[in-house]
Amino acid sequence: MEYLRTFTNIPIPKVVRHSPSSKNELGFEWILMEFVHGTTLGERWMELPMTTKERLVRQLASFQAQLFAQQRHQIGNVYRALSSPTPSEYSVGRIVSHEFFWADHIHQTVPRGPFQNSHDWLSSRLALLRLDQQRVLESGNLDDSSDPEDEREYAVFCLSVVQKLLELLPRIFPPDTAESTCLFHDDLSMYNILVDEHGVLTAVLDWECVPMLPLWRACTIPDLLHGPERHEKPSIETFSYDGTIDQLYWEELLEFEATQLRTTFLDEMRRLCPEWVQAMERTELQRDFDKAVAYIDELWVKEIKKWLDDFEDEETRWSLGTRIH
């Protein structure tokens, strides 16, 4: 977070004290930050005028441009360089993103960075996925609510998908390729942004596990602007019944606003940092592969298998990102 204060003007809470180790009186890592006034953007969104929302989105674009300007050449988390004589120097070290420590991943023996390129980073993530399914097959570590045979069958299927991804990996991400990286907040939702009563942004939250990632991954539209395309504003009269407004109206209104604000965001990014937009527009395939790695679970694994099966035919190849949001 001090890195952000040093190189950007993104408003974040000030860290008062912290302990990066569990070897203390409390027995776990902790961080104490200053209190920031404000309410989550999600709580105020419906009452804000569109002009205020557009201003906020342009401000987020400014933040993205600032992060893009501070590029490094490794994948991992940012640490203060202890060997440096000046406190403002930082280095990229091992990664501590959630997928590397949730469940028992923290105890698995896999490379944790800093990674030199996307190939190495994705290889390590796939290794964790393979270990998860092998553990099910070898130790009988099954979900109590599932049928054991179904669980094993699912593990075998997942392993086959992981293997296909490993075979495809070097074709999309050649090994030994140098890459630029920048800091990427992967959960820039309405509930990690604080605003005051006038809709003025007071803080962006939840930076504790934010890593340096390749530009193809970092140059993506913020989470709060995700959603299906909707170009026609819904009519409130259409959704009014007996004096009440159906919830579907608000859902469609959110989709309409997000569609308009995505255009606002990209227009501002083109003005501030056209290289960011270029990096986003030419790397859809890389992001599809990343989604395949991130969403191998019971809900999406069959869709990922179909994407892999259709991959070889460029005429019928489709984007996984259009199915998984």
Side-chain angles (χ1 to χ4, degrees), residues 11 35 38 62 111 118 132-133 137 145-146 194 199 220 239 256 269 274:
F35 177 79
S62 170
S118 297
D132 286 343
Q133 305 310 323
L137 295 175
S145 64
S146 302
L194 296 184
T220 55
F239 294 90
F256 170 76
M269 287 306 307

Side-chain angles (χ1 to χ4, degrees), residues 261-279:
L261 291 170
R262 280 195 293 274
T263 299
T264 301
F265 176 83
L266 289 174
D267 286 347
E268 186 70 0
M269 287 306 307
R270 288 187 183 95
R271 186 183 73 83
L272 294 172
C273 187
E275 298 85 0
W276 187 100
V277 180
Q278 292 166 9

Side-chain angles (χ1 to χ4, degrees), residues 305-320:
K305 171 65 162 53
K306 188 176 186 306
W307 176 76
L308 287 166
D309 291 341
D310 293 343
F311 181 83
E312 297 302 332
D313 189 341
E314 291 191 16
E315 292 186 1
T316 61
R317 185 187 298 172
W318 46 277
S319 172
L320 192 61

Side-chain angles (χ1 to χ4, degrees), residues 7-262:
F7 295 109
T8 77
N9 65 9
I10 300 172
I12 60 172
K14 183 179 180 180
V15 176
V16 179
R17 293 283 190 277
H18 76 285
S19 174
S21 169
S22 60
K23 296 178 180 178
N24 55 52
E25 293 87 347
L26 297 177
F28 51 83
E29 301 93 337
W30 57 269
I31 183 169
L32 177 65
M33 294 183 286
E34 68 176 356
F35 177 79
V36 178
H37 290 276
T39 305
T40 64
L41 180 57
E43 294 177 78
R44 290 205 179 270
W45 186 259
M46 288 303 185
E47 66 192 54
L48 297 176
M50 195 62 172
T51 53
T52 299
K53 295 172 184 177
E54 290 170 345
R55 174 174 51 77
L56 285 167
V57 165
R58 291 191 183 97
Q59 197 169 3
L60 294 179
S62 170
F63 297 160
Q64 295 285 357
Q66 292 176 55
L67 295 175
F68 185 86
Q70 300 298 326
Q71 294 184 20
R72 302 289 174 122
H73 298 284
Q74 291 178 307
I75 299 168
N77 283 73
V78 176
Y79 299 84
R80 193 185 298 277
L82 298 178
S83 59
S84 170
T86 60
S88 62
E89 292 192 17
Y90 299 84
S91 62
V92 180
R94 68 176 183 173
I95 200 163
V96 290
S97 56
H98 295 102
E99 57 202 334
F100 278 86
F101 64 78
W102 66 36
D104 69 341
H105 285 188
I106 194 170
H107 302 297
Q108 300 295 340
T109 304
V110 297
R112 297 177 182 272
F115 302 102
Q116 302 307 310
N117 51 51
S118 297
H119 179 278
D120 296 349
W121 173 52
L122 289 160
S123 292
S124 193
R125 292 167 60 191
L126 286 166
L128 285 168
L129 292 172
R130 185 164 52 186
L131 287 168
D132 286 343
Q133 305 310 323
Q134 287 175 339
R135 186 174 65 254
V136 171
L137 295 175
E138 295 171 4
S139 66
N141 185 17
L142 306 176
D143 185 338
D144 292 339
S145 64
S146 302
D147 179 85
E149 193 57 40
D150 288 345
E151 195 80 359
R152 291 189 180 89
E153 184 178 334
Y154 168 70
V156 170
F157 184 71
C158 283
L159 280 172
S160 71
V161 174
V162 168
Q163 183 58 39
K164 281 182 173 288
L165 287 169
L166 284 167
E167 293 167 3
L168 182 60
L169 176 62
R171 294 171 55 187
I172 300 178
F173 302 97
D176 304 320
T177 300
E179 294 181 76
S180 295
T181 63
C182 69
L183 207 62
F184 174 58
H185 194 311
D186 66 349
D187 190 18
L188 203 55
S189 71
M190 291 188 188
Y191 294 93
N192 278 328
I193 297 172
L194 296 184
V195 296
D196 67 12
E197 63 274 18
H198 305 294
V200 175
L201 194 151
T202 59
V204 179
L205 310 178
D206 201 18
W207 293 92
E208 62 267 20
C209 293
V210 171
M212 287 278 182
L213 293 185
L215 300 187
W216 61 262
R217 182 66 185 90
C219 297
T220 55
I221 291 174
D223 273 9
L224 79 162
L225 300 180
H226 286 185
E229 295 281 327
R230 184 171 295 278
H231 296 281
E232 184 175 345
K233 187 175 182 178
S235 168
I236 194 167
E237 289 79 13
T238 305
F239 294 90
S240 297
Y241 309 99
D242 299 325
T244 62
I245 302 173
D246 192 284
Q247 178 62 29
L248 185 58
Y249 167 76
W250 303 109
E251 294 174 7
E252 291 195 3
L253 182 62
L254 281 173
E255 293 171 358
F256 170 76
E257 290 183 342
T259 301
Q260 304 304 304
L261 291 170
R262 280 195 293 274

